[in-house]
Amino acid sequence: MSEQLAAPAVAPSARGERLGHRLIDRACDHYRGLGYRLVLGTFTTSTFEHLVPYYQQAGFTVRGPGESIAVLDPMGMALHRPADAHVIQMWKPLHPDMGTIVTTMPDSSQVEIVTGALDPPGRVADKVVHHDDGSMTLSGGGHRLTLPAQHVEKLTQMYATEVTVAEVTAIAAEAERYGMEPMIAAKLTKASGYSLADLMGSPRRG
């Protein structure tokens, strides 16, 4: 579930009265009431880099230009949201269960990962258990599912596959027809070497 709010702004004549912060707070309260747990935002360095301290004061964690945002999904894998070199990304929690962890990647770089954003109560993946044989059990909400090691390996390969902004953008329209998140669709097709049509047949949406 996702919604987009484009370019909120305050008229120049009304600046200096913290109306912008009140607008942000009102939007966050609205989406929190709808069950959302995370707000993501972007702006460009070419014209809006001065907004960094503004959004930090509004409670956002602001990344550096070109830095990705990584979100932990309910299966315990990191979903990376890439950014072009001139794009600044930011995030703000809407739920008290959210937090961050710092993990070391295979290339020895450290990545801060947002946790709790995609793991609402009552989902199948409330609890994830990794077994010694490579299999994985997802449980919660009265459901329990165990994935064999070969499936877990393929899923891990998919999530580890790096995708660019251009690759995500290129598949966005097709992903929408399948009801998929574009990032997942881009990773899935790149890791497998197959198109969404090859993998899933005809799209659910026209």
Side-chain angles (χ1 to χ4, degrees):
M1 177 168 77
S2 64
E3 297 282 347
Q4 292 189 359
L5 179 64
V10 173
S13 59
R15 289 177 180 169
E17 300 183 23
R18 297 191 63 81
L19 293 179
H21 282 290
R22 289 166 57 187
L23 178 63
I24 292 171
D25 290 342
R26 183 69 178 270
C28 288
D29 288 342
H30 172 73
Y31 289 114
R32 185 182 295 110
L34 293 177
Y36 290 90
R37 300 163 70 88
L38 175 69
V39 173
L40 295 172
T42 61
F43 53 91
T44 62
T45 59
S46 57
T47 53
F48 298 111
E49 193 165 13
H50 64 282
L51 292 176
V52 170
Y54 179 86
Y55 279 108
Q56 288 173 332
Q57 292 172 10
F60 284 83
T61 296
V62 182
R63 310 298 294 171
E67 289 186 354
S68 66
I69 290 178
V71 178
L72 195 70
D73 87 335
M75 297 180 67
M77 300 177 184
L79 178 63
H80 291 264
R81 174 187 169 104
D84 288 327
H86 67 286
V87 173
I88 293 176
Q89 298 195 93
M90 58 184 180
W91 66 274
K92 181 177 181 177
L94 298 182
H95 194 280
D97 287 349
M98 290 187 56
T100 61
I101 58 174
V102 177
T103 187
T104 302
M105 303 299 286
D107 63 358
S108 297
S109 63
Q110 289 193 324
V111 176
E112 184 181 53
I113 302 176
V114 181
T115 64
L118 300 175
D119 195 10
R123 290 187 58 152
V124 171
D126 283 351
K127 185 176 181 181
V128 180
V129 178
H130 295 269
H131 304 290
D132 292 339
D133 64 358
S135 63
M136 180 168 60
T137 299
L138 314 176
S139 60
H143 301 278
R144 182 182 177 89
L145 173 67
T146 298
L147 300 175
Q150 60 184 13
H151 290 178
V152 175
E153 182 180 354
K154 291 178 180 178
L155 284 171
T156 302
Q157 178 186 356
M158 183 192 79
Y159 277 88
T161 299
E162 295 288 340
V163 291
T164 65
V165 174
E167 288 169 334
V168 175
T169 301
I171 204 170
E174 184 181 8
E176 172 63 23
R177 291 195 294 273
Y178 283 91
M180 294 182 65
E181 206 285 325
M183 182 77 66
I184 294 292
K187 286 176 173 284
L188 177 61
T189 55
K190 189 172 183 178
S192 68
Y194 293 98
S195 68
L196 289 181
D198 290 334
L199 293 167
M200 306 176 67
S202 299
R204 298 186 318 182
R205 305 174 184 180

